[in-house]
Amino acid sequence: ETGVTQSPTHLIKTRGQQVTLRCSSQSGHNTVSWYQQALGQGPQFIFQYYREEENGRGNFPPRFSGLQFPNYSSELNVNALELDDSALYLCASSLEGGLYQETQYFGPGTRLLVL
Amino acid sequence: GQQVMQIPQYQHVQEGEDFTTYCNSSTTLSNIQWYKQRPGGHPVFLIQLVKSGEVKKQKRLTFQFGEAKKNSSLHITATQTTDVGTYFCGTSNTGKLIFGQGTTLQVKP
């Protein structure tokens, strides 16, 4: 177990709806990264939060947004859901924004299905 | 942007046979990380390599980083059914992990 938790574990939404996914980082970690993993694919980087600020973003539209709280837990928000947003959403926690190439520890993920 | 290509996409082996997956990049990598994802699970960190020509072993798993730091391999000796899953290589670039497409290993008992 990595100590990284995510909620909910599964979620079903319809097109056009909004969703919020949550992640609690491992104790002592100040960085949370979010990834989208479509079926049969490798995880794709969405963005990273380091000390409550966005610290890098992948190739995802602005309807994907996030937050990091003072306790370093994080939220991923997706607006105007599309069918292609159906995927496993993973968060990973690490130290110091990845500056020193530290290991990232993944949570169990949230499986989102958009109908 | 930086990309890592991984082959093969799938591999079916008989239990006891060896297995290798390869990761390649057109650019020099500062590091390579390997993860295992069991069916229905999440990626679990296996190892990180940072030095040119580095070789690390974990029981039946051998990880190599190429001399030019543009390729890496994971070799499993005498596979077991517990080795089933998808193996991903990835490289960390200022905290952003870039993953390969993964190699899914099936082991026939």
Side-chain angles (χ1 to χ4, degrees):
Chain A
E1 292 298 323
T2 62
V4 180
T5 60
Q6 290 186 245
S7 62
T9 56
H10 296 83
L11 203 51
I12 300 176
K13 291 284 190 178
T14 54
R15 249 183 338 177
Q17 285 189 311
Q18 178 265 345
V19 69
T20 298
L21 310 181
R22 295 178 176 83
C23 172
S24 290
S25 58
Q26 188 173 33
S27 176
H29 283 184
N30 56 20
T31 303
V32 171
S33 303
W34 286 92
Y35 295 83
Q36 180 196 65
Q37 187 177 23
L39 200 61
Q41 303 293 318
Q44 298 293 313
F45 176 76
I46 303 175
F47 44 55
Q48 182 185 83
Y49 279 84
Y50 170 55
R51 295 182 186 270
E52 302 179 58
E53 298 284 335
E54 188 178 287
N55 185 43
R57 189 178 182 94
N59 190 25
F60 281 81
R63 57 190 186 84
F64 286 78
S65 63
L67 278 175
Q68 188 177 34
F69 300 99
N71 66 356
Y72 303 131
S73 65
S74 178
E75 285 182 356
L76 163 65
N77 298 290
V78 187
N79 292 323
L81 283 166
E82 300 177 0
L83 298 179
D84 284 350
D85 296 333
S86 296
L88 176 68
Y89 287 86
L90 297 158
C91 79
S93 79
S94 58
L95 281 167
E96 301 306 322
L99 288 174
Y100 308 111
Q101 300 168 6
E102 310 88 13
T103 302
Q104 295 193 20
Y105 295 91
F106 283 85
T110 294
R111 295 190 183 275
L112 172 65
L113 177 61
V114 182
L115 301 175
Chain B
Q2 200 163 48
Q3 284 188 314
V4 286
M5 306 300 291
Q6 200 173 346
I7 56 169
Q9 188 175 3
Y10 298 99
Q11 185 86 54
H12 294 241
V13 300
Q14 197 72 39
E15 189 173 20
E17 291 182 336
D18 291 356
F19 159 78
T20 305
T21 173
Y22 300 91
C23 188
N24 298 289
S25 172
S26 58
T27 59
T28 302
L29 303 172
S30 59
N31 61 86
I32 196 84
Q33 300 182 12
W34 286 92
Y35 290 79
K36 177 183 178 181
Q37 186 172 21
R38 293 183 186 276
H42 60 278
V44 174
F45 174 79
L46 295 176
I47 208 157
Q48 176 171 258
L49 306 172
V50 297
K51 297 177 185 174
S52 169
E54 191 170 10
V55 178
K56 287 188 178 180
K57 293 192 176 186
Q58 289 179 352
K59 297 183 181 177
R60 295 177 295 105
L61 277 61
T62 302
F63 304 85
Q64 290 190 322
F65 201 7
E67 292 289 343
K69 300 181 74 174
K70 289 185 177 181
N71 57 75
S72 181
S73 65
L74 157 59
H75 179 83
I76 303 178
T77 304
T79 54
Q80 299 175 358
T81 54
T82 53
D83 295 327
V84 162
T86 301
Y87 293 84
F88 291 99
C89 64
T91 187
S92 176
N93 183 353
T94 59
K96 168 184 174 180
L97 259 178
I98 300 165
F99 284 92
Q101 302 94 318
T103 296
T104 298
L105 172 63
Q106 294 282 0
V107 179
K108 293 176 251 184

